[in-house]
mmCIF file of all heavy atoms in Angstrom:
data_model
loop_
_atom_site.group_PDB
_atom_site.id
_atom_site.type_symbol
_atom_site.label_atom_id
_atom_site.label_comp_id
_atom_site.label_asym_id
_atom_site.label_seq_id
_atom_site.Cartn_x
_atom_site.Cartn_y
_atom_site.Cartn_z
ATOM 1 N N LEU A 15 -97.085 -12.386 -45.519
ATOM 2 C CA LEU A 15 -97.957 -11.203 -45.627
ATOM 3 C C LEU A 15 -97.537 -10.326 -46.800
ATOM 4 O O LEU A 15 -96.405 -10.222 -47.112
ATOM 5 C CB LEU A 15 -97.797 -10.288 -44.329
ATOM 6 C CG LEU A 15 -98.613 -10.748 -43.160
ATOM 7 C CD1 LEU A 15 -98.651 -9.643 -42.144
ATOM 8 C CD2 LEU A 15 -100.094 -10.967 -43.536
ATOM 9 N N LEU A 16 -98.520 -9.727 -47.470
ATOM 10 C CA LEU A 16 -98.271 -8.691 -48.464
ATOM 11 C C LEU A 16 -97.459 -7.558 -47.968
ATOM 12 O O LEU A 16 -97.884 -7.095 -46.860
ATOM 13 C CB LEU A 16 -99.533 -8.241 -49.097
ATOM 14 C CG LEU A 16 -99.475 -7.148 -50.122
ATOM 15 C CD1 LEU A 16 -98.882 -7.645 -51.419
ATOM 16 C CD2 LEU A 16 -100.848 -6.592 -50.470
ATOM 17 N N ASP A 17 -96.421 -7.180 -48.646
ATOM 18 C CA ASP A 17 -95.626 -6.006 -48.248
ATOM 19 C C ASP A 17 -95.760 -4.908 -49.309
ATOM 20 O O ASP A 17 -94.894 -4.871 -50.283
ATOM 21 C CB ASP A 17 -94.096 -6.512 -48.051
ATOM 22 C CG ASP A 17 -93.259 -5.270 -47.780
ATOM 23 O OD1 ASP A 17 -93.788 -4.158 -47.371
ATOM 24 O OD2 ASP A 17 -91.997 -5.403 -48.035
ATOM 25 N N PRO A 18 -96.670 -4.015 -49.202
ATOM 26 C CA PRO A 18 -96.984 -3.108 -50.169
ATOM 27 C C PRO A 18 -95.726 -2.170 -50.557
ATOM 28 O O PRO A 18 -95.489 -1.783 -51.650
ATOM 29 C CB PRO A 18 -98.149 -2.206 -49.688
ATOM 30 C CG PRO A 18 -98.787 -3.063 -48.694
ATOM 31 C CD PRO A 18 -97.634 -3.845 -48.104
ATOM 32 N N GLN A 19 -94.960 -1.854 -49.456
ATOM 33 C CA GLN A 19 -93.775 -1.012 -49.789
ATOM 34 C C GLN A 19 -92.876 -1.783 -50.604
ATOM 35 O O GLN A 19 -92.289 -1.196 -51.555
ATOM 36 C CB GLN A 19 -93.048 -0.782 -48.320
ATOM 37 C CG GLN A 19 -93.363 0.647 -47.734
ATOM 38 C CD GLN A 19 -92.461 0.896 -46.567
ATOM 39 O OE1 GLN A 19 -91.509 1.569 -46.723
ATOM 40 N NE2 GLN A 19 -92.623 0.295 -45.431
ATOM 41 N N LYS A 21 -93.363 -4.070 -52.779
ATOM 42 C CA LYS A 21 -94.024 -4.064 -54.121
ATOM 43 C C LYS A 21 -93.747 -2.748 -54.899
ATOM 44 O O LYS A 21 -93.408 -2.881 -56.045
ATOM 45 C CB LYS A 21 -95.566 -4.454 -53.957
ATOM 46 C CG LYS A 21 -95.856 -5.794 -53.709
ATOM 47 C CD LYS A 21 -96.345 -6.408 -55.039
ATOM 48 C CE LYS A 21 -96.751 -7.922 -54.860
ATOM 49 N NZ LYS A 21 -95.634 -8.803 -54.296
ATOM 50 N N ALA A 22 -93.932 -1.670 -54.104
ATOM 51 C CA ALA A 22 -93.790 -0.386 -54.815
ATOM 52 C C ALA A 22 -92.368 -0.129 -55.198
ATOM 53 O O ALA A 22 -91.982 0.288 -56.282
ATOM 54 C CB ALA A 22 -94.119 0.741 -53.875
ATOM 55 N N LYS A 42 -87.646 -2.791 -40.712
ATOM 56 C CA LYS A 42 -87.013 -1.591 -40.068
ATOM 57 C C LYS A 42 -85.671 -2.157 -39.356
ATOM 58 O O LYS A 42 -85.631 -3.309 -38.936
ATOM 59 C CB LYS A 42 -87.871 -1.170 -38.870
ATOM 60 C CG LYS A 42 -89.161 -0.617 -39.346
ATOM 61 C CD LYS A 42 -90.063 -0.221 -38.076
ATOM 62 C CE LYS A 42 -91.457 0.215 -38.525
ATOM 63 N NZ LYS A 42 -92.320 -0.994 -38.500
ATOM 64 N N ILE A 44 -83.363 -1.178 -36.295
ATOM 65 C CA ILE A 44 -83.321 -0.363 -35.196
ATOM 66 C C ILE A 44 -82.071 -0.590 -34.385
ATOM 67 O O ILE A 44 -81.644 -1.743 -34.123
ATOM 68 C CB ILE A 44 -84.520 -0.735 -34.267
ATOM 69 C CG1 ILE A 44 -85.842 -0.425 -35.103
ATOM 70 C CG2 ILE A 44 -84.623 0.116 -32.972
ATOM 71 C CD1 ILE A 44 -87.065 -1.155 -34.371
ATOM 72 N N LYS A 66 -92.350 -6.256 -26.721
ATOM 73 C CA LYS A 66 -93.420 -5.365 -26.104
ATOM 74 C C LYS A 66 -93.707 -4.242 -26.961
ATOM 75 O O LYS A 66 -94.909 -3.796 -26.886
ATOM 76 C CB LYS A 66 -92.952 -4.974 -24.650
ATOM 77 C CG LYS A 66 -92.830 -6.097 -23.751
ATOM 78 C CD LYS A 66 -93.131 -5.615 -22.323
ATOM 79 C CE LYS A 66 -93.405 -6.748 -21.406
ATOM 80 N NZ LYS A 66 -93.340 -6.603 -20.044
ATOM 81 N N LEU A 67 -92.865 -3.686 -27.751
ATOM 82 C CA LEU A 67 -93.178 -2.467 -28.480
ATOM 83 C C LEU A 67 -92.636 -2.468 -29.930
ATOM 84 O O LEU A 67 -93.363 -2.171 -30.755
ATOM 85 C CB LEU A 67 -92.608 -1.261 -27.695
ATOM 86 C CG LEU A 67 -92.743 0.066 -28.386
ATOM 87 C CD1 LEU A 67 -94.165 0.450 -28.725
ATOM 88 C CD2 LEU A 67 -92.156 1.170 -27.559
ATOM 89 N N LEU A 68 -91.363 -2.826 -30.046
ATOM 90 C CA LEU A 68 -90.756 -2.614 -31.390
ATOM 91 C C LEU A 68 -91.330 -3.496 -32.654
ATOM 92 O O LEU A 68 -91.258 -3.071 -33.668
ATOM 93 C CB LEU A 68 -89.207 -2.724 -31.377
ATOM 94 C CG LEU A 68 -88.561 -1.788 -30.433
ATOM 95 C CD1 LEU A 68 -87.071 -2.120 -30.325
ATOM 96 C CD2 LEU A 68 -88.850 -0.413 -30.696
ATOM 97 N N ALA A 69 -91.858 -4.688 -32.265
ATOM 98 C CA ALA A 69 -92.489 -5.498 -33.335
ATOM 99 C C ALA A 69 -93.718 -5.878 -32.841
ATOM 100 O O ALA A 69 -93.979 -6.123 -31.646
ATOM 101 C CB ALA A 69 -91.529 -6.659 -33.519
ATOM 102 N N ASN A 70 -94.613 -6.219 -33.856
ATOM 103 C CA ASN A 70 -96.020 -6.744 -33.534
ATOM 104 C C ASN A 70 -95.955 -8.181 -34.205
ATOM 105 O O ASN A 70 -96.057 -8.315 -35.384
ATOM 106 C CB ASN A 70 -97.044 -5.872 -34.141
ATOM 107 C CG ASN A 70 -98.431 -6.440 -33.924
ATOM 108 O OD1 ASN A 70 -98.644 -7.644 -33.563
ATOM 109 N ND2 ASN A 70 -99.406 -5.574 -33.968
ATOM 110 N N PRO A 71 -96.072 -9.173 -33.373
ATOM 111 C CA PRO A 71 -95.899 -10.564 -33.849
ATOM 112 C C PRO A 71 -97.054 -10.897 -34.825
ATOM 113 O O PRO A 71 -96.921 -11.920 -35.634
ATOM 114 C CB PRO A 71 -95.974 -11.450 -32.567
ATOM 115 C CG PRO A 71 -96.550 -10.555 -31.594
ATOM 116 C CD PRO A 71 -96.262 -9.255 -31.891
ATOM 117 N N VAL A 72 -98.123 -10.146 -34.877
ATOM 118 C CA VAL A 72 -99.212 -10.494 -35.817
ATOM 119 C C VAL A 72 -98.802 -10.248 -37.205
ATOM 120 O O VAL A 72 -99.216 -10.933 -38.142
ATOM 121 C CB VAL A 72 -100.540 -9.683 -35.357
ATOM 122 C CG1 VAL A 72 -101.651 -10.072 -36.389
ATOM 123 C CG2 VAL A 72 -100.907 -10.028 -34.001
ATOM 124 N N MET A 73 -97.890 -9.330 -37.359
ATOM 125 C CA MET A 73 -97.517 -8.971 -38.736
ATOM 126 C C MET A 73 -96.030 -8.872 -38.958
ATOM 127 O O MET A 73 -95.502 -8.902 -40.139
ATOM 128 C CB MET A 73 -98.085 -7.565 -39.033
ATOM 129 C CG MET A 73 -97.550 -6.407 -38.214
ATOM 130 S SD MET A 73 -98.558 -4.968 -38.395
ATOM 131 C CE MET A 73 -97.431 -3.943 -39.276
ATOM 132 N N GLU A 74 -95.225 -9.078 -37.917
ATOM 133 C CA GLU A 74 -93.754 -9.000 -38.051
ATOM 134 C C GLU A 74 -92.983 -9.996 -37.262
ATOM 135 O O GLU A 74 -93.467 -10.585 -36.369
ATOM 136 C CB GLU A 74 -93.280 -7.651 -37.591
ATOM 137 C CG GLU A 74 -93.857 -6.433 -38.303
ATOM 138 C CD GLU A 74 -93.693 -5.046 -37.605
ATOM 139 O OE1 GLU A 74 -93.876 -5.145 -36.338
ATOM 140 O OE2 GLU A 74 -93.629 -4.105 -38.276
ATOM 141 N N LEU B 60 -93.326 4.073 -35.825
ATOM 142 C CA LEU B 60 -93.140 2.633 -35.526
ATOM 143 C C LEU B 60 -94.225 1.863 -36.208
ATOM 144 O O LEU B 60 -93.916 1.180 -37.149
ATOM 145 C CB LEU B 60 -93.118 2.355 -33.989
ATOM 146 C CG LEU B 60 -92.604 1.007 -33.609
ATOM 147 C CD1 LEU B 60 -90.994 0.933 -34.034
ATOM 148 C CD2 LEU B 60 -92.611 0.817 -32.043
ATOM 149 N N ARG B 61 -95.409 1.842 -35.573
ATOM 150 C CA ARG B 61 -96.583 1.279 -36.291
ATOM 151 C C ARG B 61 -97.760 2.013 -35.769
ATOM 152 O O ARG B 61 -97.785 2.660 -34.763
ATOM 153 C CB ARG B 61 -96.834 -0.211 -35.921
ATOM 154 C CG ARG B 61 -95.682 -1.215 -36.227
ATOM 155 C CD ARG B 61 -96.115 -2.649 -35.709
ATOM 156 N NE ARG B 61 -96.402 -2.625 -34.253
ATOM 157 C CZ ARG B 61 -95.522 -2.725 -33.247
ATOM 158 N NH1 ARG B 61 -94.286 -2.625 -33.559
ATOM 159 N NH2 ARG B 61 -95.925 -2.513 -32.117
ATOM 160 N N ALA B 64 -99.047 1.939 -32.124
ATOM 161 C CA ALA B 64 -98.256 1.213 -31.245
ATOM 162 C C ALA B 64 -97.759 1.974 -30.006
ATOM 163 O O ALA B 64 -97.599 1.511 -28.982
ATOM 164 C CB ALA B 64 -96.937 0.696 -32.015
ATOM 165 N N ILE B 65 -97.556 3.251 -30.200
ATOM 166 C CA ILE B 65 -97.039 4.160 -29.167
ATOM 167 C C ILE B 65 -98.247 4.662 -28.291
ATOM 168 O O ILE B 65 -98.073 4.726 -26.984
ATOM 169 C CB ILE B 65 -96.158 5.312 -29.710
ATOM 170 C CG1 ILE B 65 -95.023 4.726 -30.480
ATOM 171 C CG2 ILE B 65 -95.545 6.180 -28.503
ATOM 172 C CD1 ILE B 65 -94.201 5.807 -31.189
ATOM 173 N N ARG B 67 -100.658 3.058 -27.354
ATOM 174 C CA ARG B 67 -101.051 2.104 -26.514
ATOM 175 C C ARG B 67 -100.393 2.173 -25.064
ATOM 176 O O ARG B 67 -100.947 1.724 -24.104
ATOM 177 C CB ARG B 67 -100.631 0.779 -27.123
ATOM 178 C CG ARG B 67 -100.859 -0.582 -26.331
ATOM 179 C CD ARG B 67 -99.521 -1.203 -26.073
ATOM 180 N NE ARG B 67 -99.693 -2.463 -25.392
ATOM 181 C CZ ARG B 67 -99.943 -2.550 -23.978
ATOM 182 N NH1 ARG B 67 -100.182 -1.475 -23.308
ATOM 183 N NH2 ARG B 67 -100.020 -3.718 -23.391
ATOM 184 N N PHE B 68 -99.330 2.911 -25.008
ATOM 185 C CA PHE B 68 -98.603 3.050 -23.762
ATOM 186 C C PHE B 68 -98.886 4.307 -23.079
ATOM 187 O O PHE B 68 -98.363 4.715 -22.044
ATOM 188 C CB PHE B 68 -97.149 2.815 -23.947
ATOM 189 C CG PHE B 68 -96.799 1.443 -24.347
ATOM 190 C CD1 PHE B 68 -96.514 1.155 -25.677
ATOM 191 C CD2 PHE B 68 -96.718 0.454 -23.332
ATOM 192 C CE1 PHE B 68 -96.271 -0.317 -25.967
ATOM 193 C CE2 PHE B 68 -96.458 -0.949 -23.624
ATOM 194 C CZ PHE B 68 -96.202 -1.266 -24.989
ATOM 195 N N GLU B 97 -103.364 -2.861 -31.286
ATOM 196 C CA GLU B 97 -102.091 -2.851 -30.651
ATOM 197 C C GLU B 97 -102.095 -3.062 -29.163
ATOM 198 O O GLU B 97 -101.166 -3.553 -28.514
ATOM 199 C CB GLU B 97 -101.346 -1.508 -30.948
ATOM 200 C CG GLU B 97 -100.737 -1.440 -32.377
ATOM 201 C CD GLU B 97 -99.506 -2.197 -32.552
ATOM 202 O OE1 GLU B 97 -98.948 -2.646 -31.564
ATOM 203 O OE2 GLU B 97 -99.198 -2.436 -33.776
ATOM 204 N N GLY B 103 -105.896 -9.197 -34.152
ATOM 205 C CA GLY B 103 -105.482 -8.746 -35.518
ATOM 206 C C GLY B 103 -104.731 -7.486 -35.566
ATOM 207 O O GLY B 103 -104.234 -7.014 -34.497
ATOM 208 N N VAL B 104 -104.579 -6.925 -36.745
ATOM 209 C CA VAL B 104 -103.778 -5.747 -36.952
ATOM 210 C C VAL B 104 -104.193 -5.070 -38.179
ATOM 211 O O VAL B 104 -104.771 -5.636 -39.068
ATOM 212 C CB VAL B 104 -102.308 -6.110 -36.958
ATOM 213 C CG1 VAL B 104 -101.962 -6.901 -38.285
ATOM 214 C CG2 VAL B 104 -101.320 -4.885 -36.849
ATOM 215 N N LEU B 105 -104.016 -3.675 -38.267
ATOM 216 C CA LEU B 105 -104.270 -2.970 -39.472
ATOM 217 C C LEU B 105 -102.941 -2.616 -40.237
ATOM 218 O O LEU B 105 -102.131 -2.048 -39.599
ATOM 219 C CB LEU B 105 -105.062 -1.646 -39.172
ATOM 220 C CG LEU B 105 -106.508 -1.794 -38.807
ATOM 221 C CD1 LEU B 105 -107.311 -2.593 -39.745
ATOM 222 C CD2 LEU B 105 -106.735 -2.294 -37.345
ATOM 223 N N THR B 106 -102.814 -3.045 -41.419
ATOM 224 C CA THR B 106 -101.668 -2.825 -42.200
ATOM 225 C C THR B 106 -101.849 -1.949 -43.384
ATOM 226 O O THR B 106 -103.031 -1.557 -43.664
ATOM 227 C CB THR B 106 -101.123 -4.196 -42.704
ATOM 228 O OG1 THR B 106 -102.184 -4.753 -43.474
ATOM 229 C CG2 THR B 106 -100.674 -5.150 -41.626
ATOM 230 N N MET B 107 -100.833 -1.541 -44.044
ATOM 231 C CA MET B 107 -100.911 -0.653 -45.152
ATOM 232 C C MET B 107 -101.903 -1.024 -46.239
ATOM 233 O O MET B 107 -101.945 -2.228 -46.572
ATOM 234 C CB MET B 107 -99.511 -0.445 -45.751
ATOM 235 C CG MET B 107 -99.475 0.721 -46.811
ATOM 236 S SD MET B 107 -97.818 0.653 -47.718
ATOM 237 C CE MET B 107 -96.820 1.302 -46.367
ATOM 238 N N ASN B 108 -102.644 -0.223 -46.767
ATOM 239 C CA ASN B 108 -103.611 -0.508 -47.811
ATOM 240 C C ASN B 108 -102.838 -1.369 -49.024
ATOM 241 O O ASN B 108 -101.719 -0.892 -49.353
ATOM 242 C CB ASN B 108 -104.289 0.676 -48.480
ATOM 243 C CG ASN B 108 -105.299 1.433 -47.372
ATOM 244 O OD1 ASN B 108 -105.472 0.888 -46.366
ATOM 245 N ND2 ASN B 108 -105.596 2.658 -47.806
ATOM 246 N N ALA B 109 -103.477 -2.284 -49.510
ATOM 247 C CA ALA B 109 -102.851 -3.190 -50.491
ATOM 248 C C ALA B 109 -102.388 -2.284 -51.598
ATOM 249 O O ALA B 109 -101.376 -2.616 -52.302
ATOM 250 C CB ALA B 109 -103.819 -4.339 -50.891
ATOM 251 N N ARG B 111 -101.598 0.772 -51.655
ATOM 252 C CA ARG B 111 -100.623 1.794 -51.186
ATOM 253 C C ARG B 111 -101.105 3.189 -51.228
ATOM 254 O O ARG B 111 -100.398 4.196 -51.032
ATOM 255 C CB ARG B 111 -99.325 1.676 -51.957
ATOM 256 C CG ARG B 111 -98.719 0.410 -52.018
ATOM 257 C CD ARG B 111 -97.277 0.398 -52.677
ATOM 258 N NE ARG B 111 -97.395 0.710 -54.124
ATOM 259 C CZ ARG B 111 -97.519 -0.122 -55.034
ATOM 260 N NH1 ARG B 111 -97.680 -1.442 -54.638
ATOM 261 N NH2 ARG B 111 -97.519 0.116 -56.304
ATOM 262 N N ARG B 138 -106.016 -2.076 -43.857
ATOM 263 C CA ARG B 138 -106.034 -3.452 -44.367
ATOM 264 C C ARG B 138 -106.087 -4.455 -43.067
ATOM 265 O O ARG B 138 -104.940 -4.728 -42.507
ATOM 266 C CB ARG B 138 -105.066 -3.813 -45.346
ATOM 267 C CG ARG B 138 -105.077 -5.148 -45.914
ATOM 268 C CD ARG B 138 -104.116 -5.293 -47.062
ATOM 269 N NE ARG B 138 -102.792 -4.850 -46.748
ATOM 270 C CZ ARG B 138 -101.689 -5.591 -46.622
ATOM 271 N NH1 ARG B 138 -101.759 -6.930 -46.793
ATOM 272 N NH2 ARG B 138 -100.536 -5.066 -46.296
ATOM 273 N N GLN B 140 -105.793 -7.593 -40.949
ATOM 274 C CA GLN B 140 -105.069 -8.813 -41.098
ATOM 275 C C GLN B 140 -105.116 -9.643 -39.881
ATOM 276 O O GLN B 140 -105.021 -9.074 -38.803
ATOM 277 C CB GLN B 140 -103.556 -8.661 -41.289
ATOM 278 C CG GLN B 140 -103.146 -7.945 -42.732
ATOM 279 C CD GLN B 140 -103.298 -8.827 -43.837
ATOM 280 O OE1 GLN B 140 -102.854 -10.072 -43.643
ATOM 281 N NE2 GLN B 140 -103.659 -8.507 -45.011
ATOM 282 N N ALA B 141 -105.343 -10.919 -39.951
ATOM 283 C CA ALA B 141 -105.163 -11.792 -38.802
ATOM 284 C C ALA B 141 -104.934 -13.284 -39.414
ATOM 285 O O ALA B 141 -105.243 -13.456 -40.510
ATOM 286 C CB ALA B 141 -106.399 -11.784 -37.930
#
Side-chain angles (χ1 to χ4, degrees):
Chain A
L15 278 192
L16 172 71
D17 172 20
Q19 262 191 102
K21 281 261 180 298
K42 301 181 187 87
I44 300 167
K66 293 208 165 162
L67 176 60
L68 301 179
N70 181 339
V72 180
M73 60 195 254
E74 296 164 324
Chain B
L60 196 62
R61 295 179 308 279
I65 302 175
R67 176 241 183 284
F68 292 100
E97 283 286 345
V104 68
L105 285 310
T106 55
M107 187 188 289
N108 295 347
R111 305 186 294 273
R138 180 168 52 108
Q140 294 276 329

